[in-house]
Amino acid sequence: MKSIVVVGAQWGDEGKGKVVDYLAASFDYIARCAGGHNAGHTVIFDGNRFVLQLIPCGILRPGKHAVIGSGVVVDPAALVGELDTLAKAGIDITGRLHLSNRAHLIFPYHRQMEKAAEAARGAWKIGTTSRGIGPAYEDKMARHGIRVGDMLDPARFREKLARVIAEKDAVCRATYGVPLDTAGLADQYLAFAERLRPLVVDASELINDALDAGHSVLFEGAQGTMLDIDFGTYPYVTSSNAISGGACTGLGVGPTRINAVAGVTKAYTTRVGSGPFPTEMPDLEATEVRDRGKEYGAVTGRPRRCGWLDLVVLRYAARLNGISSLVVTKLDVFDTQKEIQVCTGYRYKGAPVKEMPASAEDLAEVTPEYRTLPGWQSDTFGVKDIEKLPGAALDYLKFISDFLNVEIGMISTGPDRDATIVCAGTQLAKWI
């Protein structure tokens, strides 16, 4: 049995899509455990660029199975759109894509209510993508969500949807002063149901049976550790568990069935939306990194905030996730940098901080402590052999690994699938 979890070790957008796509060649099943269509995974190969939001990017590998787990919230319109995109690209998903019957659905009223709630927050807005992710999770936890399996029984679905719409409309009118627009919604979703029906399975049974049969499984998370609903920079977080434990709850597998965890980090740090960001760069430096790294959301197009690498965050992520091996992406973005700052600690009101602050307000007030390392000022873009990396780049990677006491198993030097270095002798090399 071989099973590993891939998680983001920062605030998301670490390049997990490319990493999962690369690793997928060595696994039979690639399973998504959390998030929604706010999570865009960009994969480039053969000159083609794919942005997948719900479907695990392992579907791009012939013969591999892709699973959307119960921990994912699914917008059927978005999923059908992705199916159409794959079909146009000539990618056959027949018998390879599986959708959990327990996954909760996103409806247009979720988006409408989220936009209204964000507008009402004013300066305190969270910075969501307004795609209905949070409200769908709210309904799930409030125990009046509607699930994929419900769509397969038209009478039951219409009854449940009518009941929920009546409640949501009353709330929306009372809170935001506007009615919900739900005309034709039931018919629209039942049409989606017929398109998706062949994909629907008990995902927990599917994955566990695959493991029992000796197949290998790659568990794919969404967003990143610092956006986790419990352990991230709350309330500036996503609405699900983005850490490795989410693989168990989001796909229905026991923790003893997971062999290892790969954490993905950029050579620097980014985040999207509001919230504390201790190592955020001044505008001029951030602009250079943003432009070189093409730091714009794959789904939203929003510019990402950029900062120096934060080893306090990575140490926290390593502990929460039990990271066995680290993947460093976008090393090439620092090719022009004369000096590189690395955050090795925080101070709060002059005193050293020993633990990650639980309060977003406290984290916003910490002062980062930096170590200055020399840049390499030479081209690493597309390098595939670790021996061809500049000495200063190797020193930078070693500093990260030594500080965290975690191996670096893979290095990405560009967006293409083959612009990847797998470090010989590491655990990650053995997994693939």
Side-chain angles (χ1 to χ4, degrees):
M1 183 184 74
K2 180 173 71 171
S3 61
I4 69 170
V5 184
V6 176
V7 296
Q10 299 169 305
W11 276 277
D13 307 309
E14 298 95 348
K16 296 183 297 299
K18 177 194 167 175
V19 173
V20 170
D21 172 67
Y22 188 92
L23 294 175
S26 303
F27 290 82
D28 302 314
Y29 287 76
I30 298 86
R32 170 91 180 271
C33 61
H37 66 305
N38 57 338
H41 298 312
T42 304
V43 178
I44 299 174
F45 71 96
D46 291 340
N48 297 313
R49 181 176 184 267
F50 293 88
V51 179
L52 296 175
Q53 300 169 315
L54 282 166
I55 300 174
C57 54
I59 200 70
L60 301 175
R61 294 276 189 175
K64 306 299 182 180
H65 290 261
V67 184
I68 301 173
S70 60
V72 179
V73 285
V74 177
D75 184 327
L79 180 53
V80 167
E82 286 189 46
L83 294 177
D84 290 340
T85 298
L86 292 174
K88 289 177 182 177
I91 296 170
D92 184 11
I93 66 156
T94 305
R96 299 197 300 122
L97 179 60
H98 314 281
L99 171 62
S100 172
N101 53 10
R102 291 178 169 83
H104 281 250
L105 296 169
I106 297 174
F107 290 90
Y109 56 74
H110 288 131
R111 294 192 295 273
Q112 185 178 345
M113 297 185 76
E114 185 170 30
K115 289 177 181 177
E118 273 285 85
R121 291 187 184 103
W124 300 101
K125 66 181 180 180
I126 295 171
T128 74
T129 59
S130 295
R131 291 173 180 260
I133 311 297
Y137 276 116
E138 288 177 27
D139 280 1
K140 174 180 178 177
M141 293 306 176
R143 292 165 292 181
H144 53 222
I146 300 177
R147 304 193 292 183
V148 167
D150 294 323
M151 289 197 302
L152 304 185
D153 184 328
R156 178 195 301 163
F157 177 74
R158 288 184 184 277
E159 178 186 351
K160 286 190 174 185
L161 184 60
R163 187 168 64 246
V164 172
I165 284 176
E167 177 186 325
K168 294 292 183 185
D169 185 62
V171 170
C172 207
R173 288 174 185 270
T175 306
Y176 306 115
V178 293
L180 289 181
D181 180 9
T182 59
L185 189 57
D187 290 338
Q188 179 188 16
Y189 270 61
L190 288 174
F192 289 143
E194 291 311 305
R195 180 76 182 275
L196 300 176
R197 184 182 293 270
L199 312 179
V200 179
V201 298
D202 183 325
S204 173
E205 182 179 38
L206 178 74
I207 293 295
N208 280 282
D209 284 352
L211 290 169
D212 289 342
H215 294 295
S216 53
V217 180
L218 182 64
F219 296 95
E220 175 185 1
Q223 286 87 35
T225 298
M226 299 306 289
L227 293 177
D228 184 88
I229 185 66
D230 290 312
F231 295 100
T233 49
Y234 189 88
Y236 304 99
V237 292
T238 192
S239 303
S240 59
N241 286 116
I243 60 175
S244 58
C248 298
T249 56
L251 280 157
V253 298
T256 56
R257 311 218 73 173
I258 295 172
N259 301 141
V261 179
V264 186
T265 174
K266 288 174 181 168
Y268 48 98
T269 311
T270 65
R271 80 166 297 172
V272 172
S274 304
F277 187 5
T279 64
E280 188 165 13
M281 294 172 172
D283 289 343
L284 188 60
E285 291 172 307
T287 297
E288 181 180 355
V289 169
R290 186 180 300 116
D291 290 345
R292 285 186 56 81
K294 297 180 175 58
E295 295 295 350
Y296 299 89
V299 174
T300 64
R302 289 189 296 180
R304 297 174 184 139
R305 298 160 64 188
C306 298
W308 300 109
L309 188 65
D310 191 332
L311 294 183
V312 180
V313 163
L314 291 186
R315 182 172 57 196
Y316 180 63
R319 173 167 63 85
L320 287 177
N321 293 292
I323 292 175
S324 318
S325 191
L326 200 64
V327 179
V328 179
T329 66
K330 295 199 172 184
L331 183 70
D332 55 291
V333 173
F334 272 162
D335 283 354
T336 60
Q337 204 73 36
K338 185 177 180 180
E339 291 183 333
I340 299 172
Q341 304 295 318
V342 185
C343 174
T344 57
Y346 296 156
R347 285 188 172 271
Y348 178 71
K349 296 183 178 179
V353 177
K354 295 183 179 179
E355 300 175 350
M356 178 63 67
S359 162
E361 291 81 4
D362 288 346
L363 184 60
E365 294 181 13
V366 302
T367 301
E369 296 180 318
Y370 288 109
R371 172 79 175 268
T372 301
L373 299 177
W376 42 93
Q377 294 187 290
S378 58
D379 189 13
T380 66
F381 185 80
V383 171
K384 304 172 188 177
D385 184 345
I386 195 167
E387 295 180 357
K388 294 182 179 179
L389 288 178
L394 292 172
D395 290 343
Y396 181 64
L397 295 169
K398 186 176 186 302
F399 183 83
I400 296 168
S401 178
D402 289 348
F403 186 94
L404 300 174
N405 195 28
V406 176
E407 70 171 32
I408 292 179
M410 182 186 290
I411 305 155
S412 173
T413 57
D416 289 339
R417 180 183 279 174
D418 60 354
T420 304
I421 300 169
V422 178
C423 303
T426 60
Q427 290 188 58
L428 186 62
K430 295 175 184 177
W431 300 335
I432 58 178

